Amino acid sequence: HLDMKTSQDVLWLPMDKWKLCGGALPELNGKACWAGLDLSTTTDITAFALAFKNDKGGCDLLVFFWIPAENAKAREDRDRVPYREWARAGGNLTMTPGNVVDYAIVRRDINALGKLYKIQEIAIDRWNATQITTELMGDGFNVVEHGQGFASMSAPSKEFEKLVVGGTIHHGDNPVLTWMAGNVAVDIDTHENFRPCKKKSTERIDGIVAAVMAVGRAATNPAQQWFY
């Protein structure tokens, strides 16, 4: 699908294919999954994605988001999206008190999800994440380091793209994730490796980054050879 001559000015994911990957998700409680946690910065969006094996050789995605509640109207004006409506009506979006994301709430919610689903691993970029990494490991989670460079992100990004184009990834019409899918482009190096990036610096792609990490960890798990 991807023309390697494109740049970060071009949308990565084909949105017509993305829309076909919607629809209600199956019952996932008690099922095994792999997670990706993108902390971004404390003033922006934190995203936590869970990738579950499905019977089409792809995966079902559950993605959760946290943003600071303070200045929510200003954030909506900046990003041109209805954060407060999403928090009220769905999208798995939690607004934490104050003007930064409260990582204690993120940790609390991840532990609650760990009681619902069998989280095999949590992939995380450890940059600026030492404390929550240590805490989640103390909570009993298997936390693995996942860099954001080409070496770590290219293979998972290619798998993610294949699943979207093939229609075997299901996102449940999550409105926050769909908005981010429409923001994401790619950086490409001289060896045709690529990784997700923003088309514009003001746009948010945290949920897609977290989902790519989750899909990547599931794809490389030796006990679950479910990719191609």
Side-chain angles (χ1 to χ4, degrees):
H1 162 69
L2 187 68
D3 178 358
M4 287 304 172
K5 295 180 181 178
T6 58
S7 71
Q8 54 261 54
D9 295 326
V10 179
L11 188 66
W12 173 33
L13 298 172
M15 293 307 291
D16 57 337
K17 299 290 188 182
W18 179 266
K19 290 177 183 177
L20 293 175
C21 295
L25 292 170
E27 177 57 55
L28 298 171
N29 282 17
K31 293 190 175 182
C33 59
W34 288 260
L37 177 61
D38 182 16
L39 293 171
S40 188
T41 67
T42 56
T43 56
D44 281 319
I45 301 173
T46 287
F48 184 66
L50 299 175
F52 299 79
K53 174 183 177 180
N54 66 32
D55 58 7
K56 293 185 177 181
C59 65
D60 300 320
L61 287 177
L62 279 178
V63 187
F64 302 84
F65 302 92
W66 297 263
I67 66 169
E70 192 171 305
N71 301 323
K73 177 64 167 60
R75 294 173 187 279
E76 289 180 339
D77 292 342
R78 177 195 67 186
D79 296 342
R80 299 182 181 181
V81 291
Y83 287 126
R84 291 173 296 175
E85 180 183 331
W86 283 339
R88 289 191 299 266
N92 297 333
L93 175 65
T94 298
M95 302 181 73
T96 69
N99 61 1
V100 298
V101 172
D102 187 339
Y103 286 169
I105 293 176
V106 174
R107 178 190 175 194
R108 177 203 69 191
D109 292 349
I110 290 175
N111 272 274
L113 292 169
K115 291 180 172 62
L116 293 175
Y117 313 112
K118 296 178 181 178
I119 300 175
Q120 307 299 298
E121 290 180 342
I122 300 175
I124 186 171
D125 178 10
R126 294 201 180 192
W127 182 85
N128 205 31
T130 302
Q131 181 176 343
I132 194 169
T133 295
T134 301
E135 290 171 344
L136 289 172
M137 291 176 71
D139 293 335
F141 291 103
N142 180 22
V143 182
V144 296
E145 184 173 0
H146 197 297
Q148 301 300 294
F150 291 111
S152 298
M153 291 297 288
S154 186
S157 297
K158 290 174 181 177
E159 293 288 5
F160 190 84
E161 182 186 51
K162 287 178 184 177
L163 297 186
V164 172
V165 173
T168 58
I169 199 167
H170 300 142
H171 50 69
D173 295 313
N174 183 305
V176 188
L177 190 64
T178 294
W179 166 59
M180 291 180 176
N183 292 337
V184 67
V186 287
D187 277 333
I188 305 168
D189 71 7
T190 56
H191 301 290
E192 298 190 347
N193 297 306
F194 63 89
R195 61 185 178 182
C197 71
K198 302 173 184 178
K199 290 195 279 90
K200 299 176 183 177
S201 61
T202 56
E203 294 174 334
R204 314 296 160 195
I205 64 169
D206 314 83
I208 298 296
V209 171
V212 167
M213 289 195 290
V215 166
R217 293 311 302 172
T220 57
N221 185 282
Q224 297 286 340
Q225 297 296 338
W226 49 275
F227 283 105
Y228 305 104

